[in-house]
Amino acid sequence: MNKKYKFAYITEVDISIDNGPGINERGFVNELLNSYDTDVLCVLPYPAFPEIYYDERIEYVFNHKKFNPFFYVIYNVVLFFKMAKLCKKNTFNAVIFRLGVIPFIPFLVHYFFKMPVMLKTLAGYTMFSNIAGGKYSLIAKIAFPFYKYIINRALFADTVSLPYIEWLNEKFGISKERMELIPNGTNIEMFIPQEKKLYRDEFGVDKFDYIIGYVGALDTIRHIDLLIKALKKIQTNMKVGLVLVGKGKDQKLLEILADELDLREKIVFTGFVPFSEIPKIMSTFDIAVDITKVPMKINGKTIDASYSQKIPQYLSCGRPVVAWEVDDNKFLEEEDIGRLVKNCKDVTDGELANAIQYLLNLDDDERSKMEIKSRRYAESYLSIQSLTKKRISIWNSSVK
């Protein structure tokens, strides 16, 4: 006897890969399998690294091998026949997609199978922001009509940023009433508060009294150069260090900058750290920094978004955060769990230094209270469990 499901969830993301999308989708799929397995059938690419993640409850299809054009075509063909088979066996209330490179399958599922469609983590600004030129111009031109078709026919879509809702409304005409802000979440059981000195020796940062930490790619678009310059302006009698976790194309340039500012002894470049070790190294931080932003053109104006994947992890570890003063981050100061840096074209390293200095100057009691509030906020609003529960509730209400 075939098992009947309310929903099918389809994503192109290979959740066995330890990158941002892989980690986020892994947590979401795990929660679907563990808490909603009788309601949701998950269909994913076969894992490139099954030793890292494989689950027999998932319906796997051919892997596109990181969107290799040849294999991506095969992936789509295999996925189409898989969905034809599944739709024949099961009358889903809706099929939910995380849209990928070109949404052929969402289009075909809706057009040929007449299935209601909903969308998760709707994004795509980078691809479509400059459709007339740039690296992805041809892909964007091919994909655009498929995106427009399925986005305008979706019963519901969630997205990770407030400016994204405005941009999607302008770009595709999707009604704001059919969109919901659901931020990136985190695994609150993996990212937990720990004593700061517990792992400092293991990562070679025990020489510092106070640590400013960043986790992510090391490139100039993430304003790491600004962070290094801000370190020069910090005024304190403590031994303050900057720990940069990750690697990237601009690491050498950042190392040169550190040397030029005579800060080499105050900065640790850890290089690549396995995802399983990230909670440990985050626990060594006193404060965490995320100053990545995406400028979006909406109704002729440029509005910055900051839908960080790291901020929820930092907060879950009980670490206050310094970030840009944009709509997506306002909760940090509203909840007193971080500080914001004025977001403008001529922002200086001095403004960033002032935000860091504010947190550095807190006394032990103030710092402890802020760390507790950071963790509680993550537990209440940013856990994978709470965000998945919210999605399931919206999915159910959308098909009634």
Side-chain angles (χ1 to χ4, degrees), residues 218 223-234 242 244 250-251 253-264 266-267 269 291 349 352-353 356:
L218 299 184
H223 306 284
I224 308 304
D225 56 332
L226 199 67
L227 181 55
I228 291 174
K229 292 176 183 177
L231 180 65
K232 186 76 173 178
K233 298 180 180 294
I234 298 295
L242 173 61
L244 301 175
D250 294 321
Q251 180 170 336
L253 294 176
L254 296 172
E255 290 174 350
I256 291 171
L257 176 62
D259 289 333
E260 290 175 346
L261 296 176
D262 195 26
L263 292 173
R264 207 63 173 85
K266 292 185 176 183
I267 301 176
F269 292 86
I291 47 176
D349 50 273
L352 177 56
I356 295 172

Side-chain angles (χ1 to χ4, degrees), residues 32 62 101 113 125 158 170 247 254 263 334:
L32 290 179
F62 185 84
V101 177
F113 302 152
Y125 178 80
D158 71 72
E170 179 190 41
K247 61 180 182 178
L254 296 172
L263 292 173
E334 292 171 352

Side-chain angles (χ1 to χ4, degrees), residues 24-297:
N24 281 1
E25 285 290 85
R26 187 186 305 172
F28 178 63
V29 169
N30 272 339
E31 181 62 14
L32 290 179
L33 295 174
N34 294 333
S35 300
Y36 305 97
D37 64 313
T38 59
D39 291 335
V40 185
L41 175 66
C42 297
V43 184
L44 281 75
Y46 190 86
F49 304 99
E51 68 277 10
I52 293 178
Y53 190 95
Y54 175 86
D55 195 303
E56 61 183 10
R57 293 172 292 179
I58 294 173
E59 289 278 351
Y60 288 113
V61 296
F62 185 84
N63 192 299
H64 47 65
K65 303 186 187 299
K66 297 184 179 180
F67 301 101
N68 174 285
F70 176 74
F71 294 113
Y72 186 66
V73 171
I74 299 175
Y75 162 80
N76 275 277
V77 172
V78 174
L79 180 57
F80 173 76
F81 284 106
K82 169 69 76 172
M83 288 309 302
K85 182 178 179 181
L86 291 175
C87 289
K88 186 176 182 180
K89 289 169 45 178
N90 200 108
T91 304
F92 298 108
N93 292 349
V95 180
I96 297 92
F97 291 92
R98 173 166 175 156
L99 297 187
V101 177
I102 302 178
F104 288 130
I105 302 305
F107 166 78
L108 294 173
V109 166
H110 183 272
Y111 187 83
F112 288 107
F113 302 152
K114 309 302 180 186
M115 295 296 299
V117 169
M118 290 184 275
L119 306 174
K120 174 192 174 285
T121 317
L122 190 57
Y125 178 80
T126 303
M127 179 180 289
F128 293 115
S129 59
N130 186 13
I131 202 167
K135 183 179 178 181
Y136 297 109
S137 61
L138 179 59
I139 296 175
K141 289 175 182 177
I142 294 171
F144 188 83
F146 293 98
Y147 270 90
K148 189 170 184 178
Y149 176 93
I150 202 64
I151 286 174
N152 278 284
R153 288 162 178 79
L155 297 178
F156 163 81
D158 71 72
T159 187
V160 293
S161 168
L162 289 167
Y164 244 124
I165 293 177
E166 299 293 330
W167 180 79
L168 288 162
N169 173 257
E170 179 190 41
K171 189 71 176 179
F172 295 101
I174 183 172
S175 168
K176 295 179 185 179
E177 287 71 33
R178 290 193 290 123
M179 289 185 281
E180 182 83 15
L181 175 68
I182 299 183
N184 287 313
T186 188
N187 183 341
I188 61 172
E189 295 173 357
M190 180 179 184
F191 290 87
I192 59 175
Q194 300 183 73
E195 208 285 316
K196 293 171 188 171
K197 295 183 179 180
L198 186 60
Y199 297 109
R200 286 190 175 182
D201 179 63
E202 180 178 336
F203 291 103
V205 296
D206 54 319
K207 61 183 178 180
F208 302 125
D209 299 322
Y210 189 95
I211 292 177
I212 304 161
Y214 164 84
V215 178
L218 299 184
D219 52 52
T220 53
I221 66 169
R222 299 177 191 275
H223 306 284
I224 308 304
D225 56 332
L226 199 67
L227 181 55
I228 291 174
K229 292 176 183 177
L231 180 65
K232 186 76 173 178
K233 298 180 180 294
I234 298 295
Q235 302 294 320
T236 179
N237 293 324
M238 292 190 292
K239 294 180 181 178
V240 176
L242 173 61
V243 177
L244 301 175
V245 183
K247 61 180 182 178
K249 62 183 179 64
D250 294 321
Q251 180 170 336
K252 290 296 182 183
L253 294 176
L254 296 172
E255 290 174 350
I256 291 171
L257 176 62
D259 289 333
E260 290 175 346
L261 296 176
D262 195 26
L263 292 173
R264 207 63 173 85
E265 293 299 313
K266 292 185 176 183
I267 301 176
V268 173
F269 292 86
T270 69
F272 171 76
V273 173
F275 178 70
S276 60
E277 298 294 295
I278 294 298
K280 287 184 181 180
I281 200 163
M282 280 187 181
S283 73
T284 69
F285 301 168
D286 288 278
I287 65 169
V289 179
D290 188 292
I291 47 176
T292 301
K293 60 181 178 179
V294 179
M296 308 176 73
K297 290 186 178 180

